[in-house]
Amino acid sequence: MKIDPESPVTLYEQLRTQIIGQIEDGELIVGTKLPPVRQLATELGVAPYTVARVYRILENDGFVETRGRNGTVISGTKGTAGESLQAMASAYATRATELGVPPAEALQFAKSALGL
């Protein structure tokens, strides 16, 4: 995993997207143990909170399962692609609101990303 501090995409979103991509590509299979929060934060040069936040979001979305002292492992997605996209759309809407981006502008960004 690599983080680009110069990217306009937040560090946590870069990491979240990479982990989900690796799960969907089959690079990370069910049962694979992810690095501990502090270890991955050190490797990537980010704050431990950033990694912990990503793990928490991925757990809420059903991609990983936290097993306390036994670490965080890939659990696969908890539903269909549609359910996964709905969760991501909700996260996008929340983040757009946090950034003060008007809904019409946020929708235009999404349409542009989809090539529409």
Side-chain angles (χ1 to χ4, degrees):
M1 290 179 240
K2 295 182 182 177
I3 298 294
D4 178 6
E6 302 299 318
S7 173
V9 178
T10 61
L11 298 176
Y12 93 90
E13 185 61 27
Q14 289 180 52
L15 181 56
R16 187 186 73 79
T17 302
Q18 287 181 46
I19 292 173
I20 290 173
Q22 289 179 356
I23 292 169
E24 291 174 346
D25 292 344
E27 293 175 49
L28 294 174
I29 61 171
V30 174
T32 302
K33 188 173 180 180
L34 293 176
V37 168
R38 290 181 192 194
Q39 177 186 334
L40 186 56
T42 300
E43 289 174 9
L44 297 175
V46 300
Y49 173 79
T50 301
V51 177
R53 181 178 181 197
V54 169
Y55 283 10
R56 189 171 48 253
I57 290 168
L58 291 172
E59 184 171 29
N60 288 340
D61 290 346
F63 289 99
V64 301
E65 178 183 327
T66 301
R67 298 180 178 167
R69 291 184 160 266
N70 293 322
T72 302
V73 298
I74 303 300
S75 65
T77 57
K78 67 177 180 181
T80 65
E83 289 171 338
S84 180
L85 286 173
Q86 179 61 49
M88 287 186 233
S90 294
Y92 174 75
T94 299
R95 185 67 180 141
T97 301
E98 291 171 353
L99 293 171
V101 176
E105 189 175 342
L107 182 59
Q108 189 57 43
F109 289 139
K111 285 182 177 181
S112 177
L114 290 168
L116 302 175

